[in-house]
Amino acid sequence: MKKLTIAIDGPAGAGKSSVAKLLANKVGYLYIDTGAMYRAFTWAVLEKGVDISDEGAVKALVDTVDIRLEPMADLCRVYVGDTEVTDAIRTQRVSSHVSSVAALAVVRQKLVKLQKAMAKEGGVILDGRDIGTVVLPDADLKIFLTASVASRAQRRYLEVKAKGGTESYDAIAASIAARDDMDSHRQVSPLKKADDAVVVDNSDLDLQQTADVILGLMKERG
Ligand code: CDP
Ligand code: CDP
């Protein structure tokens, strides 16, 4: 198969990162988690106490921050400078601030540039919100992965519970719906299906079935 460039976009909890990792392992591609980059920058903003309404301060931080992804077999380690933030970026505190930070044009300019550079050799799967529309408008295959809010919230609820968290299903569903709303309605690069993306609704599919659907599409394009 030719080394493709694959874009997977969609709302929170659709299964983008799990499916992307599964596929990347299976075909030997590099998985690039762009959401982790926005989360890492948000972690840095919170750590430094930067006021996100202060554009100058946000720009100063985005110009100097060093965000690195280290893809491993089934995990992508994330670093801000020398500090590993792989777990720290998954906290509710980061989740509740990330959409506001990701709405800032100055932040997106820098992270999109990094993402384009990481993807340029091909053989990559990127997941996020604006991959098919902005980061990789010429991707060989674009998937818009989605599922009902109820099934996405249930998945996240099980994930949180398995890690010993106590957040309720209702709180998780509300937080997912709020993030979907902000991500879809922001001015810069909103979450939107690219015209040439294939919609995959996996409300009733498990991870393996979802991966198989995408693998079938990859074979058609490769
Ligand atoms: O994994 P989950 O769907 O919860 O979120 P994520 O992929 O880690 O992304 C976290 C947040 O980063 C999203 O809610 C968006 O606000 C932002 N994001 C973005 O704006 N553009 C991307 N390409 C990826 C993420
Ligand atoms: O990256 P994104 O926010 O789109 O979703 P994810 O973090 O990959 O998936 C959220 C959770 O849903 C994970 O625990 C997945 O294992 C689970 N999931 C599932 O059970 N069935 C699916 N078809 C897709 C995801």
Side-chain angles (χ1 to χ4, degrees), residues 7-75:
I8 305 183
D9 291 299
K16 301 180 298 296
S17 53
S18 313
V19 170
K21 263 182 237 163
L22 236 159
L23 289 169
N25 270 334
K26 178 143 183 120
V27 296
Y29 280 21
L30 189 65
Y31 163 55
I32 300 171
D33 179 353
T34 67
M37 298 170 77
Y38 288 96
R39 286 175 179 272
F41 184 67
T42 303
W43 178 89
V45 163
L46 294 169
E47 183 76 6
K48 302 258 182 229
V50 168
D51 172 1
I52 65 162
S53 62
D54 180 347
E55 208 185 313
V58 174
K59 183 162 175 10
L61 183 60
V62 88
D63 283 346
T64 50
V65 77
D66 171 31
I67 294 173
R68 270 176 307 116
L69 299 184
E70 246 179 43
M72 324 271 291
D74 55 354
L75 173 87

Side-chain angles (χ1 to χ4, degrees), residues 11-19 127 155-156 159 202 205-207 210:
K16 301 180 298 296
S17 53
S18 313
V19 170
D127 84 319
R155 291 168 186 171
R156 274 289 149 87
E159 218 173 38
N202 71 0
L205 301 180
D206 66 19
L207 279 178
T210 310

Side-chain angles (χ1 to χ4, degrees), residues 12 16 34 38-39 99 108 129-130 156 179 183 186:
K16 301 180 298 296
T34 67
Y38 288 96
R39 286 175 179 272
S99 289
R108 304 201 71 82
R129 302 293 187 287
D130 61 340
R156 274 289 149 87
R179 204 137 58 82
D183 292 344
R186 68 180 175 221

